[in-house]
Amino acid sequence: MKIAFFDLDHTLLPIDSGDRWTRELVSHAGDDRQALEAEAERFHQGYLAGDFDIDECVAFQLGLLARYPREKLDAWREAFVRDVVAPIVPARSVALVRASEAMGFHPVLATGTHAYIAEAVAPLFGIEDVIAARPEVDASGAFTGGIVGSHSYQEGKLRLARAYVDAKEASGVKVEALQAYSDSINDVSLLRYAASRGEAFAVNPDKALERVALEEHWPVIELFAKDSN
């Protein structure tokens, strides 16, 4: 088996789907909307600057899920994927995933956007498996605001990717090679892990990742102009 890890936001998609979804939930917040908008913006700017607390950010995002009934969330998510995400999926991104598959790689979406959204977006690229922060649910399926396992940011994403590979090998599947695709210096540890067992690709890279890619002779792929959000 060969495995390819694909980042989502600004790699396959020209937007930050996690931030856009957060803003969607905040828009339904009623009297708390203004304060939540400010908090969402603080985390977004912190992410862009590389200066924020990932555990605090994930707690905020998953806490938003816990504010609303599951039925409403599911309806909002369906509309979000249909109206916001699906219309802007680049054909070149889908082709990139298909090209990797043609080389015998099994695609896995490895994203900082939590699994409730990532698992709804992945089918747009023909991807079934998702590595992401997993919101905790109670016995009725309602979100608790907690997380199951690890976040999927920097070393957290690497931990989850390693665990995915280790689980395959523990089940008797030989993992022969890896690929990883990302736009962000935040994923440099995952890219180096993949490069040690195969290939790493800098896709629409930020300046810091572009420098690393040039130093380590990773291919650089430009799929689209990146949105600022």
Side-chain angles (χ1 to χ4, degrees), residues 106-151:
H106 176 72
V108 178
L109 194 63
T111 175
T113 294
H114 60 67
Y116 181 62
I117 291 301
E119 288 179 341
V121 172
L124 299 176
F125 299 95
I127 297 176
E128 295 182 357
D129 292 354
V130 173
I131 287 174
R134 298 203 165 269
E136 183 183 63
V137 297
D138 64 18
S140 71
F143 292 108
T144 67
I147 185 174
V148 178
S150 172
H151 62 74

